[in-house]
Amino acid sequence: MIKEKEYKGRREKFAKKLQSDSVAIFCAAEQKVRSNDTEYPYRQDSNFYYLTGFKEDNSTLVFVKKNTTYKIYLFVEKKDPVKELWTGKRLGAEKAKELFDVDDVFEIEHFAPKLQEFLEEKNKLYYDFKVKNKLLDQVKLLAKNILYYKDAAKTVETMRLIKSTNEIKLIQKALEITKEAHHKAIQMSQKLSFEYELQAEIEYIFKKNGAYSDAYTSIVASGDNANTLHYIDNNMALNKGDLILIDAGCEYEYYSSDITRTIPVSGKFTKAQKELYQMVLDVEKKIISMMKPNILRSELQNEAEKMLCEGMVKLGILKGSVKKLLKDKVHKKYFPHGIGHYMGLDVHDQNPYKNQKNKEIPLKAGMILTIEPGIYLPEDDKKIPKKYRGIGIRIEDDILVTKEGYENLSKEILKEIKDIESYSSL
Ligand code: GLY
Ligand code: MN
Ligand code: MN
């Protein structure tokens, strides 16, 4: 659990970075309609959550800075017994004042008049440019003195780059659950008939262990379906000789995990599948071993592309000189995506990859990134040797960059061929 003291520290750090004579606003996520009068399960906005730990909608966090002094206010929904009968208890302003170490807490219906007051003699307004919210629309109508609109998200998202000890613990907890789910999948694949059955086994483990949900829609892609990168239909029959690419990770207390394993339906890899799998696994392990402070993500990308291209030439999937194939980006056809991404409150964590001078930000201790090389060989691509067609493989782990190098947070999730094969027969 992350305590109020840590959230307060984040708010103060953010407030200090604001320019003088400014107001900054973070809004809670809005409820989203699924259909008619049913809503999607509610999920708080990550930047708002990072600064408050508050899970209710219809609330805002406001920073008001005059010269170098600042005040921080929280607006929350009023307690309303009739509404609470239907949608659950609200914290209310009184209780929020006890729990949050802010300068004051107001009820959200006072947001517009209070804002008008805060905006007097201010010329800068910070808010998250990506967010659409009716509360923000009100603010923009009131903001007559404002000369500069600034993106509040960039500063918080830069803070989110480096994970605290408590954040790392939550990601580790998410990964413990995700490990159990992937291991269950290895044992169940032979016994089940459809992709969605395997998805159900995985997501049962997530829920059973108190994870709020999946961190993204699970991908359970058997055979040629694995060659659709974001395949989420998960409705096809499992065929005995195929592989299944499973990209699934739970979200625990708002923190993600993001793991891909590719396993045989039958529990045994064929010779051709082994050749491809081992190639991807060797690349994954090599790239992980390169991770350390100051290395660039583009260096990892380039090395992965080079190794995969060499591997494809060796197996007869690509023909010609590796140098020329790389130069012409021919290998991209079968490895079209990035080597990995930041992960945290969001599975693709909203942290910058470039600094203000548009230069790539090197890896730093405390960052968490996925490493996820893959190879995707469509069934209908006649240029590929027949034995490899219809196979898609990705292997993905979640890595913490440390002062000394790295720690693979998901190292216990099985991925060696022999380990997967023997675990599947247990
Ligand atoms: N699960 C999404 C990704 O691997 O980026
Ligand atoms: Mn990923
Ligand atoms: Mn993934």
Side-chain angles (χ1 to χ4, degrees), residues 4 7-16 18 24 26 51-52 60-65 69-75 100-106 118:
E4 168 59 6
Y7 291 113
K8 186 185 184 199
R10 294 173 186 173
R11 290 193 293 269
E12 292 191 333
K13 193 169 171 188
F14 174 80
K16 290 194 179 109
L18 286 172
F26 289 91
L51 293 169
T52 61
T60 59
L61 179 70
V62 181
F63 296 77
V64 183
K65 192 161 182 181
T69 60
Y70 56 82
K71 298 264 189 216
I72 305 175
Y73 304 108
L74 188 64
F75 290 78
F100 291 94
D101 197 353
V102 290
D103 291 292
D104 213 341
V105 179
F106 303 106
F118 297 153

Side-chain angles (χ1 to χ4, degrees), residues 291-293 365 401-407:
M291 293 177 79
K292 59 180 181 190
V401 182
T402 63
K403 273 198 214 113
E404 299 74 30
Y406 71 91
E407 184 188 344

Side-chain angles (χ1 to χ4, degrees), residues 193-402:
S193 308
F194 286 91
E195 293 166 343
Y196 53 74
E197 292 180 81
L198 212 41
Q199 179 182 9
E201 294 287 343
I202 289 164
E203 292 176 7
Y204 168 70
I205 305 269
F206 292 171
K207 280 282 185 207
K208 186 174 74 106
N209 287 286
Y212 162 85
S213 71
D214 35 31
Y216 50 92
T217 305
S218 306
I219 297 170
V220 182
S222 63
D224 195 42
N225 299 330
N227 294 314
T228 301
L229 295 177
H230 284 170
Y231 174 83
I232 51 170
D233 290 346
N234 304 343
N235 59 1
M236 300 296 278
L238 300 172
N239 295 318
K240 213 161 178 276
D242 283 344
L243 294 178
I244 320 161
L245 184 157
I246 302 173
D247 186 346
C250 73
E251 178 178 297
Y252 185 81
E253 278 298 319
Y254 281 77
Y255 282 84
S256 296
S257 54
D258 184 7
I259 296 295
T260 309
R261 290 293 183 262
T262 308
I263 60 172
V265 173
S266 67
K268 293 269 173 259
F269 289 86
T270 64
K271 187 166 174 287
Q273 289 166 351
K274 269 187 192 169
E275 287 163 357
L276 292 169
Y277 186 92
Q278 194 61 48
M279 173 179 83
V280 177
L281 184 59
D282 290 345
V283 175
E284 204 232 8
K285 291 201 283 193
K286 171 73 193 297
I287 303 302
I288 292 172
S289 77
M290 290 168 66
M291 293 177 79
K292 59 180 181 190
N294 293 323
I295 196 162
L296 298 173
R297 190 164 145 271
S298 58
E299 292 177 70
L300 305 177
Q301 179 80 34
N302 293 341
E303 181 62 18
E305 290 188 21
K306 183 174 141 278
M307 285 184 76
L308 284 165
C309 189
E310 282 168 359
M312 286 190 263
V313 169
K314 220 180 248 169
L315 296 177
I317 297 162
L318 294 178
K319 290 181 184 65
S321 93
V322 171
K323 211 170 151 198
K324 176 134 184 18
L325 290 165
L326 284 170
K327 188 169 158 279
D328 297 341
K329 302 190 190 308
V330 180
H331 62 291
K332 287 276 206 193
K333 188 172 174 196
Y334 304 127
F335 173 49
H337 59 73
I339 188 59
H341 50 83
Y342 301 125
M343 193 194 75
L345 280 171
D346 288 288
V347 62
H348 294 170
D349 215 24
Q350 301 172 58
N351 318 134
Y353 287 96
K354 290 186 173 169
N355 65 18
Q356 280 155 335
K357 291 183 188 141
N358 210 28
K359 271 190 71 179
E360 201 180 338
I361 297 174
L363 267 53
K364 290 192 187 109
M367 289 178 172
I368 293 183
L369 294 103
T370 67
I371 292 296
E372 48 182 303
I375 184 167
Y376 308 93
L377 305 171
E379 184 86 68
D380 59 3
D381 186 334
K382 302 284 182 288
K383 287 192 177 149
I384 300 168
K386 200 150 187 276
K387 60 181 175 178
Y388 297 136
R389 286 182 213 157
I391 296 177
I393 294 169
R394 178 165 64 255
I395 306 171
E396 176 176 30
D397 281 294
D398 301 340
I399 317 295
L400 169 69
V401 182
T402 63

Side-chain angles (χ1 to χ4, degrees), residues 54-282:
F54 191 44
K55 297 178 181 175
E56 290 185 16
D57 70 321
N58 208 14
S59 48
T60 59
L61 179 70
V62 181
F63 296 77
V64 183
K65 192 161 182 181
K66 185 82 198 149
N67 301 320
T68 54
T69 60
Y70 56 82
K71 298 264 189 216
I72 305 175
Y73 304 108
L74 188 64
F75 290 78
V76 303
E77 198 173 274
K78 184 172 147 183
K79 285 191 77 62
D80 173 350
V82 176
K83 193 174 171 199
E84 289 182 29
L85 170 67
W86 291 92
T87 54
K89 294 273 182 235
R90 291 283 176 158
L91 189 62
E94 213 172 299
K95 196 94 183 116
K97 262 183 222 183
E98 285 170 31
L99 296 181
F100 291 94
D101 197 353
V102 290
D103 291 292
D104 213 341
V105 179
F106 303 106
E107 287 170 348
I108 194 74
E109 63 214 59
H110 302 304
F111 182 62
K114 278 281 168 200
L115 240 289
Q116 197 145 25
E117 208 179 286
F118 297 153
L119 285 164
E120 273 168 29
E121 296 171 38
K122 310 293 185 312
N123 57 21
K124 300 170 202 85
L125 177 67
Y126 289 76
Y127 66 97
D128 185 340
F129 289 171
K130 298 188 294 299
V131 168
K132 295 228 181 316
N133 192 302
K134 60 181 185 314
L135 290 164
L136 268 182
D137 297 341
Q138 285 184 23
V139 177
K140 286 181 222 160
L141 286 177
L142 294 169
K144 295 182 204 72
N145 308 328
I146 295 305
L147 294 177
Y148 307 101
Y149 288 92
K150 292 178 169 281
D151 191 2
K154 263 193 203 140
T155 308
V156 192
E157 290 165 5
T158 304
M159 288 164 61
R160 282 171 54 187
L161 256 175
I162 306 297
K163 273 64 183 173
S164 71
T165 310
N166 289 325
E167 290 183 289
I168 295 165
K169 276 191 199 149
L170 290 173
I171 290 172
Q172 279 171 320
K173 173 70 186 170
L175 279 166
E176 249 174 61
I177 300 170
T178 295
K179 173 180 83 176
E180 190 183 327
H182 277 271
H183 286 178
K184 181 83 184 213
I186 297 174
Q187 289 188 319
M188 294 303 288
S189 67
Q190 301 161 73
K191 303 181 183 84
L192 302 176
S193 308
F194 286 91
E195 293 166 343
Y196 53 74
E197 292 180 81
L198 212 41
Q199 179 182 9
E201 294 287 343
I202 289 164
E203 292 176 7
Y204 168 70
I205 305 269
F206 292 171
K207 280 282 185 207
K208 186 174 74 106
N209 287 286
Y212 162 85
S213 71
D214 35 31
Y216 50 92
T217 305
S218 306
I219 297 170
V220 182
S222 63
D224 195 42
N225 299 330
N227 294 314
T228 301
L229 295 177
H230 284 170
Y231 174 83
I232 51 170
D233 290 346
N234 304 343
N235 59 1
M236 300 296 278
L238 300 172
N239 295 318
K240 213 161 178 276
D242 283 344
L243 294 178
I244 320 161
L245 184 157
I246 302 173
D247 186 346
C250 73
E251 178 178 297
Y252 185 81
E253 278 298 319
Y254 281 77
Y255 282 84
S256 296
S257 54
D258 184 7
I259 296 295
T260 309
R261 290 293 183 262
T262 308
I263 60 172
V265 173
S266 67
K268 293 269 173 259
F269 289 86
T270 64
K271 187 166 174 287
Q273 289 166 351
K274 269 187 192 169
E275 287 163 357
L276 292 169
Y277 186 92
Q278 194 61 48
M279 173 179 83
V280 177
L281 184 59
D282 290 345

